[in-house]
Amino acid sequence: MEDQYITRPEFEQYSQRMDEYNKRQDGRLKDIDAKVEKIGGMAIQIQRLADNTDMMLKEQKSASERLKAIEDEPKETIKTVRAAVLSAIGGAVAAAIVAAILAFI
């Protein structure tokens, strides 16, 4: 029956080792908690970055559409002017032909 029990010095040594082990584990847990907190903060920052990127993309699309409208405006004006000039030239040529025909009659 004596084989089942440990002596007081053995128990104290065992108890001391367990206390040291628990202190190391507590330190590891504190380190892990700090890292988890940092990772959580980083996740929030990444989400904000993604949101800002989405907003920038939308703004860029909007700016692109506005720029295209600004660039297309002179093209339309040139087309209108060209059509008016060609119409005037065509009208002048037609008037000259009619005048020439009437002059020969």
Side-chain angles (χ1 to χ4, degrees):
M1 194 156 249
E2 285 186 28
D3 293 340
Q4 294 178 355
Y5 299 106
I6 59 172
T7 63
R8 182 75 169 167
E10 289 174 332
F11 173 76
E12 288 176 0
Q13 183 182 16
Y14 173 79
S15 178
Q16 183 181 1
R17 280 188 289 166
M18 289 305 294
D19 287 342
E20 291 170 0
Y21 175 78
N22 287 338
K23 286 179 186 177
R24 287 192 306 270
Q25 292 295 74
D26 288 345
R28 287 184 188 123
L29 287 174
K30 286 179 185 177
D31 290 344
I32 290 172
D33 285 343
K35 289 177 183 176
V36 167
E37 189 174 323
K38 285 182 183 179
I39 290 171
M42 288 172 60
I44 291 170
Q45 291 175 354
I46 290 170
Q47 182 61 44
R48 287 181 185 161
L49 181 61
D51 292 343
N52 288 337
T53 303
D54 286 343
M55 287 178 14
M56 287 171 50
L57 179 62
K58 289 176 185 175
E59 180 60 32
Q60 185 178 13
K61 285 180 181 178
S62 174
S64 176
E65 290 170 1
R66 290 191 308 263
L67 180 61
K68 183 168 176 30
I70 290 170
E71 289 174 344
D72 287 344
E73 187 176 329
K75 291 178 188 176
E76 294 300 320
T77 303
I78 288 172
K79 285 180 182 178
T80 304
V81 169
R82 187 182 306 147
V85 168
L86 290 176
S87 294
I89 292 172
V93 169
I97 291 173
V98 169
I101 291 174
L102 290 177
F104 285 117
I105 296 184

